[in-house]
Amino acid sequence: MRQNDLMGRVSMTDLVERFSTESLLLPDRGARVMRPRLRTVGVHWHDYYELCLVVSGEADHVVNGVARPIGRGSAFLLSPADFHAIRPAGPEPLGCYNTVIDPALMERQLAGLGPPSAGDFPWHADDFLAAEGDLRRLQAEFEEPRLGSARLVEALVGCLVVELARRQPVEAAAGRPAVVGELRAAVRYVDRNFREPISLADAARRAHLSPNYFSERFREYTGSSFQHYLQERRLRFARSLLASTSLSVTEVCHAAGFNTLSHFGRAYRRRYGTAPSDRSRRPGSPASGDLGAVTM
């Protein structure tokens, strides 16, 4: 199978290439493990969570504009809000277990972790090789489903999430546990959907709270107002896109969820002290065409 088919490539008109669950997952199975050997993978994002364990080779893994070396035993878990690229650091392709996880399945696992919670995505670890056995079993359950496969897949994903979460910085929880859990779900909703026109009322419904009470508790939980948090999330995403791609400022503006270029420019200058068009202030901004292609 060609690597482009394997990764579920969708519309070539997307600003940054986006991969979808539609061609990768069956309706009754929430996770799938593949075994690609990767050379260069250009900047892209997904509408699913991606868990990857490296078993051979070395590369620079660039997530949201930040490069991190990965090699045998490295693992990462990305949310649908993250974008990334892989650039080999040697002659050997990067051999890995690449796991596509349906958002509904993953968010059930995240909700079940309980307090204290792991820090924000992306998650990373450099000592995850012991998970190879669970990933092989997860792959087999997708490829040859048997009695109870759906339940076993969910259980295996849960074990992998717990083990990886235990390797992340712990996020302190404040307030009543029930409300904290609802707020955590609302924050995850914002983190996944900030590129869309979401509102405080949308997030409050996710937390099963009235908008006014949600607004108060959201500020206590995150340290900022809902609108400030949403804008900050969009600005961080926009800044990473500007540093990691050759997209125009207008394209970045709309990809990050801003309605108008003028609003984006004002917010960006207030936050970072420079115009979004000033790419020279951001080291590592690639030249056009420097993102590479997906190859076997």
Side-chain angles (χ1 to χ4, degrees):
M1 182 181 294
R2 291 183 302 122
Q3 185 65 24
N4 290 350
D5 297 330
L6 184 68
M7 294 298 288
R9 178 173 291 191
V10 294
S11 173
M12 290 295 291
T13 61
D14 288 349
L15 295 178
V16 175
E17 203 160 11
R18 185 183 185 99
F19 300 121
S20 170
T21 59
E22 290 179 1
S23 62
L24 298 174
L25 291 177
L26 299 177
D28 59 342
R29 271 169 268 169
R32 178 184 183 182
V33 179
M34 296 170 286
R35 289 293 311 274
R37 289 174 61 80
L38 304 173
R39 294 193 182 274
T40 299
V41 181
V43 176
H44 62 283
W45 65 52
H46 332 89
D47 66 1
Y48 49 82
Y49 287 81
E50 180 181 48
L51 172 62
C52 183
L53 170 66
V54 178
V55 293
S56 63
E58 296 180 345
D60 287 327
H61 184 216
V62 186
V63 184
N64 302 332
V66 178
R68 178 188 178 98
I70 56 175
R72 180 173 168 81
S74 298
F76 57 83
L77 177 61
L78 307 181
S79 79
D82 298 310
F83 63 91
H84 68 137
I86 293 175
R87 298 170 182 152
E92 183 183 0
L94 197 72
C96 60
Y97 290 86
N98 189 31
T99 309
V100 174
I101 306 174
D102 181 80
L105 169 57
M106 175 57 73
E107 289 173 11
R108 286 197 297 273
Q109 306 309 317
L110 295 173
L113 288 175
S117 64
D120 291 339
F121 288 101
W123 291 357
H124 298 280
D126 293 317
D127 59 345
F128 209 59
L129 201 58
E132 186 175 4
D134 284 343
L135 287 165
R136 280 201 302 266
R137 193 173 183 190
L138 189 57
Q139 181 181 17
E141 291 298 329
F142 183 92
E143 294 176 352
E144 298 181 17
R146 293 170 289 172
L147 177 67
S149 281
R151 293 190 65 182
L152 186 54
V153 164
E154 183 143 358
L156 288 167
V157 170
C159 289
L160 290 163
V161 169
V162 168
E163 289 299 329
L164 195 53
R166 288 176 173 177
R167 290 163 167 80
Q168 309 311 306
V170 172
E171 185 180 77
R176 294 186 292 112
V179 174
V180 166
E182 291 163 342
L183 288 168
R184 189 181 298 121
V187 169
R188 282 200 300 270
Y189 171 74
V190 175
D191 287 344
R192 270 192 58 202
N193 296 280
F194 66 87
R195 295 185 297 263
E196 307 300 327
I198 60 176
S199 67
L200 183 146
D202 295 330
R205 280 193 292 272
R206 291 280 170 158
H208 307 290
L209 300 172
S210 71
N212 286 340
Y213 185 59
F214 171 78
S215 179
E216 295 174 6
R217 297 312 306 268
F218 187 92
R219 184 185 291 274
E220 292 175 7
Y221 182 72
T222 65
S224 66
S225 69
F226 174 82
Q227 289 300 333
H228 183 269
Y229 184 92
L230 177 59
Q231 179 167 281
E232 182 70 13
R233 192 68 183 83
R234 289 170 172 167
L235 287 170
R236 292 203 314 268
F237 185 77
R239 193 178 196 218
S240 296
L241 275 181
L242 288 167
S244 303
T245 74
S246 55
L247 295 178
S248 71
V249 172
T250 300
E251 289 171 328
V252 168
C253 165
H254 295 297
F258 288 92
N259 290 326
T260 67
L261 191 58
S262 59
H263 178 210
F264 172 54
R266 287 194 302 271
Y268 194 95
R269 282 190 292 271
R270 281 197 303 268
R271 177 64 178 85
Y272 297 115
T274 185
S277 58
D278 189 4
R279 291 178 186 261
S280 63
R281 298 281 295 274
R282 289 180 296 275
S285 179
S288 178
D290 190 41
L291 301 179
V294 182
T295 59
M296 284 300 285

